[in-house]
Amino acid sequence: MIGVGAVLLVAGAIVALASLAVLHVVPTGLRPWIDPVSQYGITRFRAGYLVAALGAAVAGVGGVLALAPLGAAAAVVLLVVFAVARAIIPFVPMDAPEAPRTRRGRAHNLLAIAAFASVTAAGFLAGGALHDAGYPNLANLSTGCAIVMAIGSAGVILGFFTPLRRVFGASERLIYLGFIAWFLMLGFGLFAAG
């Protein structure tokens, strides 16, 4: 089960990373430092956002399969929340900037919060389980990636309530960097060890 999980972690993360990389080089008109990643989902490039979100969901499922045998029950539950939120979010697009807030837009925001909070917490919690299971290096990497996600989350929260809104996109991309790196390192590390 760990091996299958490791493969899904790596495959899903690579799909998400490749799709996001393409979205950042095609002429979307978005500003990566400012605009949220979800805004790609309301452009003509929304298929790329769908692929990225589903890739992340697959990686989340891989994390569930890889961490469950290691006794990381809390991290597994959080990764289920992450995978479900990522799988649903492309079908619940954000509100366009400057448009009136809608119920759908609020639901999108709740899904984003659920995904980012759960994957960040899972990274921290998995560190302990990985250490206890005899993977101290992966435990340190898990905690390090969780710290990166937490810093990005703090920037996103500040972006909602302060003039730091101009770095919202950069902060959100830091969360993406943290969880994609975590999925890749966890997948490759467990696959190599197993």
Side-chain angles (χ1 to χ4, degrees):
M1 180 123 78
I2 292 175
V4 172
V7 169
L8 290 176
L9 275 161
V10 171
I14 288 173
V15 166
L17 180 61
S19 183
L20 290 170
V22 168
L23 286 172
H24 282 75
V25 297
V26 295
T28 62
L30 299 182
R31 302 156 299 173
W33 290 106
I34 299 169
D35 298 319
V37 173
S38 296
Q39 198 165 337
Y40 292 114
I42 58 171
T43 69
R44 64 188 174 105
F45 299 98
R46 65 185 151 274
Y49 177 69
L50 171 67
V51 170
L54 295 180
V58 167
V61 170
V64 167
L65 296 175
L67 292 173
L70 303 179
V76 165
V77 170
L78 290 166
L79 283 174
V80 168
V81 171
F82 171 81
V84 169
R86 285 284 95 186
I88 295 171
I89 203 164
F91 304 102
V92 184
M94 67 175 276
D95 292 324
E98 311 304 324
R101 300 295 126 213
T102 66
R103 206 174 330 178
R104 183 194 70 209
R106 286 190 288 279
H108 175 90
N109 291 343
L110 290 174
L111 287 166
I113 290 166
F116 294 153
S118 63
V119 75
T120 302
F124 281 115
L125 293 172
L130 288 163
H131 186 273
D132 293 346
Y135 302 103
N137 291 336
L138 284 178
N140 291 336
L141 291 171
S142 184
T143 302
C145 289
I147 290 169
V148 169
M149 290 184 270
I151 291 168
S153 295
V156 166
I157 291 166
L158 287 172
F160 275 122
F161 302 109
T162 71
L164 290 176
R165 184 164 200 70
R166 300 217 28 101
V167 294
F168 181 93
S171 297
E172 187 184 34
R173 282 158 180 81
L174 197 56
I175 301 169
Y176 276 84
L177 173 68
F179 75 72
I180 290 172
W182 180 46
F183 290 155
L184 288 170
M185 289 186 278
L186 188 60
F188 281 125
L190 291 173
F191 190 79

